[in-house]
Amino acid sequence: MKIGAPDKAPSSIAAAVTDFLKAPKMLIGGTSCDGEAGSFDVFNPADGTVLASVPEASEADVDRAVAAAGATMAGTWGSMSGAGRTGLMLKLADLIEENGEELAQLETLENGKSIMMSRLIEVMSSAEYIRYMAGWATKIRGETLDVSIAIPPGTQYTAFTRKEPVGVVAAITPWNFPLNMAVWKIAPALAAGCTVVLKPAEETPLTSLRLVELVREAGFPDGVVNVVTGGGAVGAALVRHPGVNKITFTGSTETGKKIGVQAMQDVKPVTLELGGKAPMVMFDDMDLSLLGPAAGIGIFLNAGQTCCAGARLFIQRGIYKEAVSVLKNIVSSLPIGPGMDPANQINPLVSAKHHAHVKGAIDKGIEDGATPLLSGEAPDAGYFVAPQLFEGAGAQSALMQDEVFGPVATITPFDTEDEVIAMANDVRYGLGASLWSRDINRVMRLVPKVQAGTVWINSHNIPDQNMPFGGFKQSGIGREHGSGALDNFLETKSVCVAYS
Ligand code: ADP
């Protein structure tokens, strides 16, 4: 079913969704299958009920998935032209749109987010992302190189580079943007000519399982995209598998470090997109009418469960009182409730475990001396947390240093540019940041001083497929998006030709 108006609540859960939830299957080598290790439950965060029972992959399932991905790499897929890959990818993008409402509902049911965001971000921007990457499949190119090799005398040389797919890719994804993150990994890998074994987060595997059904329907050869489901152990089995040639991961810094260590042990290329603690720096000369989008998108999008969420606001003294008062009004009026009603802007957190983590971080913030500015109530059923702003958090406190990944931000006043840049950079993360000012001279002066992979000016938390995305410091290694995303999945081979 195609997506209707993004801001309309579904009149009922689509029949295709109800059917799908009865028996979701993994896809290995083009065949739907259960997991050898049994199954596990996926919950609806809006009410805590069980949504579906999902296959739990064994190590042997992981072996079979990697073998299938390797076989087609060496066969049908490996010999397909770039144009052939583009055609299949465009078909997949169309199928995602054609089944968009079903995918959006599945996403809201498993993740909790607003149906409007599921439609716009998870579905529509995923289809656009695949189309963007599909275009690169026919534009892969190397270079010709002049070389100065002098031996043996009389021999001449010319050299060129070829870009070749790295091979079987292990793609491990998080639960905050499940479909979108799967697509961020699969699309450039396919454009580069690689094959993929996808391991979605155990909290939110459903849209990935539905996505690979669409991959099959689009006509990709068997084994090009496989999905295995389960917890961290399944991800770890995939990461250390000798048949995997490249690892791409989005998730927490702690898990990213473990994956990085294993990758280095096996000397495998790895791309890591990890945590963040983004600063939003607001100067006296900013346009205060931007505080609405700053709060709604910059801080509280997806209930703060975004790695670029503006978790630390720094507001210059001259507008401090007024801006804090406006922010308090905006945030306390954000409607809280289930994501199936698009009017609700604060939706549940993804799981009981994460709910406990966010509540714990709020309690610790108060214990450490920070002052909560809001007293909103959250619904009792489900994993809801009312949005919270804090003043007076210590610079080295957990609230200012550690990722909460929930609807929580600190506010700190500042006086000078030097002071605020030092505070903004005083964390181990460096994924996103924003500067809010009408003064172009100030902005251009400060951009090079901000330690972050993306610096937004007068906006925050909005990525684009053409804009490289990734982290400085412990926020990651490598960049996704843009033409550079393909390089993550390509090896460079130098070819040196001697002639006389
Ligand atoms: P969170 O702590 O919020 O659940 P993680 O970073 O641990 O976030 O999870 C992101 C993804 O990494 C999930 O798909 C998860 O199953 C997977 N994962 C967790 N631990 C490991 C591991 N040791 N090796 C590989 N993947 C893992």
Side-chain angles (χ1 to χ4, degrees):
M1 198 194 321
K2 275 202 167 179
I3 289 176
D7 58 347
K8 294 280 176 295
S11 46
S12 60
I13 303 292
V17 170
T18 315
D19 271 359
F20 179 79
L21 290 174
K22 285 178 192 154
K25 303 276 188 211
M26 303 194 297
L27 187 75
I28 297 181
T31 305
S32 299
C33 58
D34 292 319
E36 275 190 3
S39 60
F40 63 97
D41 288 338
V42 173
F43 296 89
N44 180 346
D47 57 16
T49 56
V50 173
L51 268 178
S53 175
V54 166
E56 170 101 37
S58 67
E59 201 145 339
D61 290 327
V62 172
D63 279 347
R64 288 194 302 118
V66 174
T72 189
M73 193 69 233
T76 324
W77 181 251
S79 55
M80 189 178 286
S81 67
R85 299 198 301 275
T86 300
L88 288 170
M89 291 177 73
L90 293 177
K91 175 82 182 136
L92 177 61
D94 290 347
L95 284 172
I96 287 176
E97 278 180 354
E98 280 164 29
N99 295 273
E101 184 59 22
E102 176 193 350
L103 284 163
Q105 290 186 10
L106 271 178
E107 200 62 285
T108 291
L109 287 172
E110 68 174 346
N111 170 276
K113 68 176 38 137
S114 160
I115 186 74
M116 181 151 75
M117 281 213 306
S118 291
R119 288 168 180 155
L120 292 176
I121 299 176
E122 303 286 356
V123 174
M124 286 166 68
S125 92
S126 291
E128 280 312 311
Y129 196 84
I130 292 172
R131 292 192 180 107
Y132 172 90
M133 285 297 165
W136 288 113
T138 49
K139 296 167 190 67
I140 294 169
R141 57 190 187 179
E143 294 174 302
T144 54
L145 310 162
D146 283 349
V147 290
S148 307
I149 304 167
I151 52 170
T155 306
Q156 299 189 67
Y157 294 88
T158 192
F160 63 92
T161 56
R162 285 172 48 77
K163 294 283 183 180
E164 299 180 358
V166 64
V168 176
V169 173
I172 299 175
T173 50
W175 45 255
N176 62 336
F177 288 92
L179 181 60
N180 208 221
M181 291 298 114
V183 162
W184 280 18
K185 310 245 171 267
I186 291 172
L190 297 180
C194 293
T195 57
V196 179
V197 181
L198 170 68
K199 207 301 280 176
E202 52 272 45
E203 294 85 351
T204 54
L206 297 173
T207 44
S208 292
L209 293 172
R210 181 67 187 119
L211 174 69
V212 289
E213 288 186 353
L214 299 178
V215 166
R216 190 168 51 179
E217 194 178 330
F220 283 85
D222 291 349
V224 172
V225 182
N226 309 271
V227 64
V228 287
T229 42
V234 177
L238 191 53
V239 164
R240 66 172 177 266
H241 199 291
V244 165
N245 306 108
K246 153 86 193 177
I247 300 151
T248 174
F249 170 77
T250 297
S252 65
T253 293
E254 286 60 42
T255 300
K257 285 180 186 179
K258 287 186 207 157
I259 290 175
V261 166
Q262 182 66 48
M264 284 308 104
Q265 212 145 37
D266 300 334
V267 198
K268 270 180 207 168
V270 61
T271 309
L272 302 172
E273 197 266 274
L274 308 177
K277 193 78 181 169
M280 298 172 80
V281 179
M282 300 181 161
F283 290 94
D284 285 348
D285 59 9
M286 78 170 279
D287 176 354
L288 289 175
S289 73
L290 296 178
L291 286 173
I297 299 171
I299 310 171
F300 294 107
L301 184 86
N302 209 24
Q305 300 168 113
T306 66
C307 28
C308 284
R312 294 177 302 139
L313 262 76
F314 298 97
I315 304 181
Q316 204 166 16
R317 199 84 58 182
I319 55 163
Y320 187 82
K321 263 180 102 169
E322 185 183 355
V324 171
S325 154
V326 172
L327 283 168
K328 278 170 64 179
N329 283 338
I330 292 169
V331 179
S332 56
S333 66
L334 293 173
I336 308 182
M340 277 298 180
D341 180 350
N344 291 324
Q345 281 179 266
I346 300 289
N347 310 117
L349 302 180
V350 72
S351 65
K353 181 175 152 213
H354 191 57
H355 181 261
H357 161 77
V358 172
K359 294 288 263 185
I362 290 174
D363 291 347
K364 171 100 173 69
I366 295 169
E367 204 180 296
D368 288 347
T371 308
L373 299 181
L374 302 171
S375 54
E377 300 267 310
D380 286 337
Y383 315 137
F384 293 90
V385 170
Q388 188 55 272
L389 297 170
F390 279 98
E391 264 181 332
Q396 299 309 316
S397 66
L399 204 52
M400 288 285 271
Q401 292 292 326
D402 299 336
E403 191 174 37
V404 175
F405 221 62
V408 178
T410 59
I411 312 184
T412 308
F414 71 93
D415 294 298
T416 67
E417 287 179 6
D418 286 350
E419 177 196 11
V420 78
I421 291 297
M423 290 196 290
N425 289 336
D426 185 21
V427 279
R428 65 179 186 279
Y429 298 110
L431 191 60
S434 57
L435 303 173
W436 301 73
S437 169
R438 286 187 169 106
D439 180 350
I440 187 73
N441 297 313
R442 184 208 300 276
V443 165
M444 296 308 286
R445 197 162 57 232
L446 295 185
V447 163
K449 297 185 179 175
V450 178
Q451 295 167 351
T454 301
V455 181
W456 285 279
I457 312 299
N458 296 322
S459 73
H460 192 104
N461 213 8
I462 305 177
D464 182 87
Q465 62 247 27
N466 202 30
M467 204 166 80
F469 182 78
F472 282 28
K473 303 197 280 190
Q474 291 194 20
S475 286
I477 295 176
R479 295 289 178 273
E480 300 188 287
H481 302 195
S483 62
L486 254 67
D487 291 336
N488 293 325
F489 302 101
L490 293 167
E491 288 281 21
T492 301
K493 180 179 282 175
S494 290
V495 182
C496 184
V497 184
Y499 60 99
S500 52

